[in-house]
Amino acid sequence: MMDRITIRKPDDWHLHVRDGAMLNAVMRYTAHHFGRAIIMPNLIPPVTTIADAVAYRERVMAAVPEGSDFRPLMTCYLTDRTDPDEIERGFRGGVFTAVKLYPVGATTNSAYGVTDFEKIRPVLARMEKIGMRLLIHGEEASDPSIDVFDREATFIERRLHPMTRAYPALRIVLEHLSSKAAVDYVRAAAPQVGGTITPYHLMLNRTDMLGYGIRPYYYCMPILKRERDRLALLQAATSGESCFFLGTDSAPHPVAAKLAMCGCAGLFNAPVAIETYAEIFDRAGALDKLEAFASLNGPAHYALPPNDATITLERGDWTAPDEVAVDGPEERAIIFRGGETVAWRVVSA
Ligand code: NCD
Ligand code: ZN
């Protein structure tokens, strides 16, 4: 039995750190353990220009603790009116690593998202030409006749598959895979398409969320699915296959926004993320595949080098903290697995 593991430092290919007091409260958790992170642009208002991203990157860097080598990788929020020239300038200038596509209404702060897929054709064509990655929240949300549990599969069929045909050289990341259908699709569409997998989609199913009382803290988009979907995700993540890689989708919200008549989607897992992945891989007997998933497959999909530094994790119980104070005692964000025993811990990073 392996009790200790040293791997290349991981990267988080899908992360929300927000802004202002929340950013300052949460940034350190990721900076402690990860080399880089793809920073999601769904602020209010969203990050849609080079100037927005430069300013946001400075605020993010200011929230990174001193002495950390962490590097944020910025993204541009795609709208119906995004200018391909701005995208190309931002990419060539080293500001934008990728573009993020939110279908309108699909998730938190997606009101400015894409309403008409015809309108983004010039941007996609340009990205294909310059070799820039497209990150997709893959859910068909604007059609209310689609059941919420079928949004991902429907998006793949209606939108993603035609897109891969129309732009065969466009490299895509389907974010936060949540279903067996998505796992099967990514596998079939690799290496053009890669997929990130969150710790919570690996740990939970919809019965955990709804079967024994309603647990609003498990509410996220894409919504948790059946046990057979979770098992397909677990098999994919721990397989070592290069098309599957780490993206926590850590998404902190103030308590009042989660516990409301219309609560918002998103789950804050950065304080337990790499430890939780290690625990999951260990339980699956696949610790030897953790480095590929966490530290190698992602950079390869982005054509970036892996980190040189390493991180060491060790078997050992600790109790996850319940919450983080955001802005004095009144504002706080509840932490995924808070109060639970976590079976692995980081000993050096
Ligand atoms: C994310 C958020 O809160 O920004 N929420 C979520 O449920 N995952 C947005 C997203 O990635 O969908
Ligand atoms: Zn997200």
Side-chain angles (χ1 to χ4, degrees):
M1 191 158 81
M2 241 204 295
D3 287 327
R4 202 181 164 89
I5 180 172
T6 297
I7 59 172
R8 296 250 199 171
K9 206 167 214 200
D11 302 300
D12 187 347
W13 299 100
H14 184 133
L15 177 69
H16 304 266
V17 288
R18 316 303 191 196
D19 211 343
M22 185 68 90
L23 168 63
N24 292 321
V26 305
M27 189 64 248
R28 65 194 165 101
Y29 294 105
T30 299
H32 282 153
H33 297 159
F34 291 85
R36 295 162 289 193
I38 284 277
I39 305 294
M40 288 293 146
N42 61 333
L43 306 180
I44 308 175
V47 177
T48 57
T49 65
I50 296 171
D52 291 343
V54 167
Y56 186 34
R57 184 168 61 186
E58 276 168 23
R59 299 196 297 280
V60 169
M61 285 308 295
V64 171
E66 212 142 315
S68 164
D69 292 334
F70 174 79
R71 271 200 307 132
L73 304 177
M74 310 311 288
T75 56
C76 181
Y77 187 117
L78 182 61
T79 74
D80 287 355
R81 290 180 311 280
T82 299
D83 173 7
D85 292 337
E86 178 83 357
I87 295 293
E88 180 165 355
R89 265 197 309 275
F91 182 61
R92 294 204 189 281
V95 177
F96 295 140
T97 296
V99 168
K100 176 69 188 254
L101 188 171
Y102 293 98
V104 71
T107 189
T108 303
N109 304 340
S110 61
Y112 296 85
V114 172
T115 68
D116 181 348
F117 280 71
E118 288 302 307
K119 295 204 171 123
I120 61 171
R121 288 176 152 277
V123 176
L124 301 187
R126 185 72 63 91
M127 292 173 66
E128 179 183 39
K129 197 163 137 222
I130 65 178
M132 190 176 184
R133 273 60 183 155
L134 176 69
L135 318 182
I136 302 183
H137 184 111
E139 291 196 285
E140 189 69 37
S142 53
D143 178 350
S145 75
I146 308 292
D147 188 272
V148 66
F149 292 98
D150 298 331
R151 283 180 181 175
E152 187 171 63
T154 307
F155 182 92
I156 289 168
E157 198 182 296
R158 283 193 192 169
R159 311 283 187 188
L160 180 55
H161 186 60
M163 212 183 271
T164 60
R165 289 295 160 94
Y167 309 96
L170 178 65
R171 283 286 197 119
I172 295 170
V173 182
L174 184 59
E175 303 279 357
H176 38 48
L177 308 181
S178 71
S179 62
K180 180 172 187 308
V183 165
D184 292 344
Y185 182 76
V186 168
R187 197 171 265 140
Q192 183 183 7
V193 181
T196 56
I197 306 180
T198 75
Y200 56 86
H201 286 107
L202 289 172
M203 269 204 144
L204 303 171
N205 62 37
R206 68 196 203 182
T207 304
D208 296 315
M209 177 176 58
L210 299 169
Y212 306 95
I214 182 162
R215 295 188 184 271
Y217 267 92
Y218 289 168
Y219 178 64
C220 59
M221 288 297 173
I223 197 114
L224 295 167
K225 307 244 169 9
R226 292 177 175 276
E227 177 63 2
R228 66 165 178 254
D229 296 297
R230 189 188 73 81
L231 291 173
L233 291 160
L234 183 62
Q235 195 280 327
T238 57
S239 69
E241 287 165 274
S242 57
C243 55
F244 301 112
F245 43 94
L246 187 157
T248 64
D249 193 22
S250 181
H253 288 281
V255 171
K258 287 294 293 178
L259 305 181
M261 289 305 289
C262 183
C264 61
L267 205 148
F268 175 40
N269 61 44
V272 295
I274 191 64
E275 298 90 340
T276 296
Y277 282 116
E279 183 174 337
I280 291 166
F281 275 62
D282 181 30
R283 253 193 263 149
L287 268 180
D288 61 324
K289 300 294 196 313
L290 182 64
E291 184 175 44
F293 177 77
S295 317
L296 303 177
N297 297 346
H301 190 78
Y302 281 78
L304 294 169
N307 296 308
D308 287 324
T310 60
I311 183 174
T312 300
L313 294 116
E314 194 176 82
R315 188 186 304 281
D317 288 353
W318 58 288
T319 305
D322 288 314
E323 59 187 45
V324 56
V326 174
D327 204 1
E330 309 86 68
E331 192 61 280
R332 58 213 170 91
I334 305 279
I335 297 170
F336 178 52
R337 308 192 67 198
E340 284 178 32
T341 300
V342 179
W344 280 75
R345 64 178 168 226
V346 175
V347 287
S348 77

